[in-house]
Amino acid sequence: MRKIHHNNGGALLYFLRSLVPTTASHTAEDLAQETMLRAWRNLDAVPLEPESQRRWLFTVARRLVIDAHRKRQSRPVEVNLLGIEPAASGWESAETVIAMLTLHDAVKELSTAHRSVLHELYVEGCTLDEASARLGVPVGTVKSRAHYAMRQLRNALLTG
């Protein structure tokens, strides 16, 4: 078997790489291994003459490529799911909707002054100094309104 691999392994891999897409070099290597495995399992069927031996291996390899192609055609396309979050179950999505509605109602309950401070800080992305200048109130007032507004929203979510 070592002699068969030594004499034909490189040529077999080169042949398989010409049959599979260039992006799938690992597939060619896998098919070369499978071809050698088939030769080992059927060692008595592998011809002893070097030319006939190579022809036998290439025939097996070509048939493996055809089988692999047919197998890919019959299965759906594989996709990479590494960056995809799993879909929420019905229970999780219901909880999310309830939390959003509770938060929406809690924001409506805030005073205009508190709502405007949160808008400047968290929607517009202003710093404390920028929010203070835009609203025309001292920085300390912005901090205090943000603190009390967030506390009111937190309480509404925890009790809502």
Side-chain angles (χ1 to χ4, degrees), residues 106-118:
V107 170
K108 283 184 183 178
E109 296 288 324
L110 292 175
S111 69
T112 306
H114 287 106
R115 205 172 27 249
S116 63
V117 165
L118 291 182

Side-chain angles (χ1 to χ4, degrees), residues 62-75:
R62 185 177 55 80
R63 288 178 181 161
L64 287 172
V65 169
I66 292 168
D67 290 346
H69 177 72
R70 287 179 181 157
K71 187 176 181 181
R72 278 193 310 272
Q73 296 301 317
S74 67
R75 289 186 0 193

Side-chain angles (χ1 to χ4, degrees), residues 12-14 16-35 64-65 68 72 75 78:
L12 181 64
L13 185 58
Y14 182 80
L16 287 167
R17 283 187 177 148
S18 71
L19 296 178
V20 298
T22 56
T23 58
S25 65
H26 64 280
T27 303
E29 294 167 0
D30 290 345
L31 291 170
Q33 286 181 354
E34 181 63 27
T35 302
L64 287 172
V65 169
R72 278 193 310 272
R75 289 186 0 193
E78 295 177 7

